[in-house]
Amino acid sequence: MPRALVIEDDEVTARDIVAELRAHGLSADWVADGREGLARALADGYDIVTLDRMLPGMDGIDVVSALRQRGVDTPVLMISALSDVDERVRGLRAGGDDYLTKPFSPDELAARAEVLLRRRRQGPNETRLRVADLELDLVRHNAQRRDQELTLLPTEFRLLEFLMRNAGQVVTRQMIFEHVWGFHFDPGTNVIDVHIGRLRRKIDGAGHSPLIRTVRGSGYVLAPAD
């Protein structure tokens, strides 16, 4: 069972995070102080850390910086009420792997945690992704399905890579924006719909069973048909 450390000073928020992680099969411990959180993260071998940005004892930015300086590569999901782009970038540059702003959906918290855990299991050196008969070569930068070469634009390639790295996992529109386009986006834009539509036409064409599915109200998932 994967182990999560929740570093959060607000008890209500912490209990919600712990409950959501446990509901998705993780063991979760909670600490309310930055210094204690750093000590636990250094000593106890957790698989993922959720880290509040503003903490007593030691700021979240300082906690994640200290972890990285000591060579700890545990995935860190930073959580904060500070939602502007500069704060997100600061958290990521300090060593955070992802950044979730308050208030957040419990489902999105769980999805982001699962994405980080999946990425950790895959390891950094993976160069070829495969889902059913779809294959993506990250070195040669090409894609094929049933040995048929697919011509993808750069953004389509990044989008497909993100979906394949998280195959079987629902990813939200927000997550897609952040991982494929970056943090500068207009929530009202239809750019994701356009690119998903183009990608579907290329990989789910005639003769192929559909791999990309829309999960109404949540996002998208790439997975073989049941």
Side-chain angles (χ1 to χ4, degrees):
M1 178 182 292
R3 299 178 65 228
L5 175 64
V6 177
I7 309 176
E8 167 64 60
D9 64 326
D10 181 78
E11 183 174 354
V12 173
T13 301
R15 293 190 184 281
D16 287 344
I17 294 173
V18 167
E20 189 65 23
L21 294 176
R22 288 176 177 170
H24 284 79
L26 283 76
S27 151
D29 299 326
W30 167 45
V31 296
D33 177 271
R35 291 191 184 280
E36 183 184 355
L38 174 60
R40 293 284 296 274
L42 287 171
D44 288 351
Y46 289 96
D47 297 293
I48 187 170
V49 174
T50 72
L51 176 63
D52 190 32
R53 169 66 174 80
M54 303 181 73
L55 292 163
M58 191 175 189
D59 181 79
I61 293 288
D62 294 331
V63 171
V64 71
S65 296
L67 288 173
R68 299 313 184 219
Q69 288 167 8
R70 289 164 172 78
V72 176
D73 63 356
T74 305
V76 174
L77 171 58
M78 301 198 70
I79 300 176
S80 176
L82 304 173
S83 60
D84 62 272
V85 172
D86 289 343
E87 280 296 332
R88 295 186 184 195
V89 170
R90 187 180 175 204
L92 295 172
R93 284 180 173 166
D97 295 277
D98 200 356
Y99 196 107
L100 182 62
T101 57
K102 299 176 182 179
F104 53 83
S105 159
D107 286 342
E108 180 153 11
L109 168 77
R112 288 177 183 266
E114 289 172 359
V115 164
L116 292 178
L117 288 168
R118 184 188 300 270
R119 189 184 305 165
R120 181 177 177 84
R121 288 193 296 267
Q122 289 172 338
N125 298 319
E126 187 169 13
T127 61
R128 192 181 295 268
L129 305 176
R130 178 183 289 275
V131 177
D133 55 0
L134 175 65
E135 188 172 294
L136 198 67
D137 190 318
L138 304 178
V139 174
R140 296 180 179 177
H141 215 74
N142 60 26
Q144 59 182 30
R145 188 165 188 194
R146 289 186 195 166
D147 298 322
Q148 178 183 352
E149 196 80 14
L150 304 175
T151 302
L152 301 179
L153 297 173
T155 301
E156 293 169 349
F157 189 93
R158 293 196 303 272
L159 175 57
L160 182 57
E161 178 184 352
F162 182 65
L163 292 173
M164 291 183 72
R165 284 192 181 278
N166 300 290
Q169 171 66 44
V170 176
V171 290
T172 66
R173 293 170 58 87
Q174 176 87 9
M175 292 166 70
I176 293 173
F177 266 124
E178 292 174 3
H179 287 86
V180 179
W181 278 270
F183 287 109
H184 297 277
F185 69 93
D186 174 4
T189 184
N190 68 342
V191 65
I192 287 182
D193 306 302
V194 170
H195 281 81
I196 288 286
R198 289 176 179 168
L199 202 54
R200 274 191 173 125
R201 288 193 290 273
K202 292 182 179 182
I203 73 170
D204 290 344
H208 295 303
S209 58
L211 288 177
I212 300 176
R213 300 199 304 272
T214 301
V215 181
R216 189 176 301 276
S218 297
Y220 301 93
V221 61
L222 186 145
D226 295 333

